[in-house]
Amino acid sequence: ILAIALFVSVSFLMACSGGKDAAELAIKTAEEAVNATTSEAAKVLPDEVKSLQDSLAAAKEKVVQGEYKAALADATALAGKAKEVLAAANAKKAELTQKWTELSQGIPQMVTSLQGKVDELSKLKKLPASITAEKFAEAKAGLTSITEDWNKAQESFKTGNFMDAVNVATSVKDKAAKAMESLGIAPAAAPATAAAPAPAAAAPAAK
């Protein structure tokens, strides 16, 4: 953000010159702005970051070709784009964090329910008629996969890979739901909503 603000100030003071020094300084400061945005946005908005980097490379090429005025103009515009991408990345992170919060509240309960059911069925001498040996074996294997993937999702979130974390966690939730259904486990009840206040008693009719 500081680099972007500095760049805008430098550009304002030097925009009229259009010379090599002004263009090179603008490119340098624009590069700092792009790098700062890249560090924050690369994992959530990779396409937008690549576009910034491509634009920076194009502006640098114009300096090489002696097109200083055009390079200065492009670098000025690039600073604004970097600021927009940074804002969009912060919004996307907030969205992904909210999704992650919802997933991380439900998935552990699903895994616990699955593990409990598998442990319960493993102790039986004979499986219930509704659960075949093949279905039970698939559920056990699925539970192992679900646990491994959930651990991967948590690690991704810790390292800032919010997009990967949410995608993997969503897949885990779907797999867990199917496994629960195959073993006859009822889905967790949705949180109870607060009851609406009772309507006020009608006033007695006038006599």
Side-chain angles (χ1 to χ4, degrees):
I1 295 175
L2 178 60
I4 293 173
L6 176 61
F7 177 70
V8 172
S9 298
V10 170
S11 297
F12 178 77
L13 294 173
M14 307 184 71
C16 295
S17 69
K20 181 178 180 180
D21 290 344
E24 289 181 340
L25 180 58
I27 292 293
K28 179 182 178 182
T29 313
E31 186 168 20
E32 293 175 357
V34 170
N35 289 342
T37 297
T38 297
S39 66
E40 294 292 327
K43 293 179 179 179
V44 292
L45 296 175
D47 292 341
E48 288 81 349
V49 167
K50 185 178 184 305
S51 178
L52 289 176
Q53 293 170 338
D54 289 346
S55 296
L56 178 62
K60 287 182 176 180
E61 181 60 26
K62 287 183 179 179
V63 172
V64 173
Q65 298 298 326
E67 301 174 15
Y68 305 129
K69 188 173 182 179
L72 180 60
D74 288 352
T76 303
L78 185 57
K81 291 179 182 177
K83 185 176 181 180
E84 291 173 2
V85 171
L86 183 59
N90 288 333
K92 187 66 175 179
K93 284 182 181 180
E95 175 190 338
L96 292 171
T97 299
Q98 177 61 33
K99 289 183 179 179
W100 173 260
T101 299
E102 296 170 358
L103 289 165
S104 61
Q105 288 175 345
I107 290 176
Q109 296 177 6
M110 298 174 81
V111 173
T112 298
S113 295
L114 275 170
Q115 186 65 64
K117 189 66 173 182
V118 166
D119 292 344
E120 175 189 330
L121 293 173
S122 296
K123 296 175 182 178
L124 300 178
K125 294 182 178 180
K126 184 178 180 180
L127 291 171
S130 60
I131 302 175
T132 64
E134 180 180 4
K135 184 183 293 185
F136 182 50
E138 289 178 355
K140 288 175 66 177
L143 177 58
T144 299
S145 176
I146 287 167
T147 302
E148 292 176 351
D149 288 348
W150 176 233
N151 288 336
K152 291 178 182 177
Q154 293 180 87
E155 187 61 31
S156 291
F157 189 80
K158 288 178 183 178
T159 56
N161 293 308
F162 302 137
M163 187 90 65
D164 289 345
V166 169
N167 288 340
V168 173
T170 299
S171 176
V172 166
K173 182 180 179 181
D174 292 341
K175 290 179 182 178
K178 290 179 181 178
M180 290 175 67
E181 183 179 0
S182 71
L183 296 182
I185 305 174
T193 55
K207 295 182 180 180

